[in-house]
Amino acid sequence: MEGLKVSDADMEVYLHPSKSKKVSQAILRELSSLLFKFNEIFEGVLLAYDVNILDKNGKILFGIHPYFGVKLKAKLLLFSPKPNMLVEGKVVRLTQASIHVIVLGFSSAIITDQDIREEFNYTTKYGEEVFASRSHKRHVIKVGTMIRFLVKSFDEEILHISGSLIPAHTGSIRWLDKKSKNVCLADSSTTKRREVEGKSEMQDNETVGAAVSSVSNDHQIKKSKKRRFAEYH
């Protein structure tokens, strides 16, 4: 899925002197407070981290509250969706005018009817609301379906995505992946068929060549016999 990235960061965390005996725990607590929030410095939402403390003996900052800074290296997993990126999420609600999605379990998204391509028709099947494709009867979007959609915009403050299902390569992930697999199998089959046809053609050419060579040899032998017969008479 697009929008996910891993970033290496050199950081310095400032701790209260009361945390000096439990530096590691204090650092993890500070980093945990940044989880699932958009951070302008990281340019994304922090989803996970792996930290390596370089030196537990921090530099004291003088002032009314003399905090001390601890330097560390961290590997950060960030979510930073940009317009025209493809992201994936689970459908949690459907209405005739919209599809509501949860991305990565924390970010909400909405796809309004104007951003749902005309291929999809809102209907009710067996008492369940669905968006069903008019072109492919097995391509259905309903509550619980994992979908792939295009990002139109991302509200960094409330972590809300406005999405689109206009592009043909968006929709039910299960159906899209199955379609892609079938296309790959078809391409593979076509390639193999061409290889077989190529080999068969080569063999046919070799057979024709051998036959021409045989006829030519027979002709040379007959000419040689006629020449010897003429010499004797």
Side-chain angles (χ1 to χ4, degrees), residues 84-87 99 109-112 114-117 120 147-153 161-171:
N84 298 319
M85 281 186 175
L86 288 173
V87 298
I99 298 175
I110 186 171
I111 304 168
T112 59
Q114 64 184 4
D115 293 310
I116 301 174
R117 61 182 181 274
F120 288 104
I147 65 171
R148 184 176 295 132
F149 62 95
L150 197 73
V151 175
K152 289 182 62 181
S153 63
I161 300 172
S162 175
S164 170
L165 285 174
I166 296 296
H169 57 289
T170 59

Side-chain angles (χ1 to χ4, degrees), residues 164-194:
S164 170
L165 285 174
I166 296 296
H169 57 289
T170 59
S172 165
I173 293 176
R174 182 178 180 181
W175 187 88
L176 291 170
D177 289 349
K178 188 174 182 180
K179 178 185 176 184
S180 177
K181 184 179 180 181
N182 289 339
V183 169
C184 290
L185 289 174
D187 290 343
S188 177
S189 177
T190 301
T191 302
K192 288 181 179 179
R193 186 173 64 252
R194 287 175 179 172

Side-chain angles (χ1 to χ4, degrees), residues 33-45:
S33 68
L34 302 176
L35 288 172
F36 304 110
K37 297 176 183 176
F38 187 86
N39 190 294
E40 292 184 357
I41 297 175
F42 301 150
E43 297 183 345
V45 179

Side-chain angles (χ1 to χ4, degrees), residues 65-82:
H65 300 289
Y67 281 70
F68 63 96
V70 180
K71 293 184 177 182
L72 51 90
K73 281 187 175 293
K75 191 175 290 291
L76 312 174
L77 177 61
L78 303 168
F79 180 56
S80 182
K82 299 289 192 299

Side-chain angles (χ1 to χ4, degrees), residues 29 55 80 84 100 106 110 137 140 147 163 179 194 218:
R29 191 176 295 109
D55 188 358
S80 182
N84 298 319
H100 299 259
F106 73 91
I110 186 171
K137 64 179 182 179
V140 176
I147 65 171
K179 178 185 176 184
R194 287 175 179 172
D218 290 345

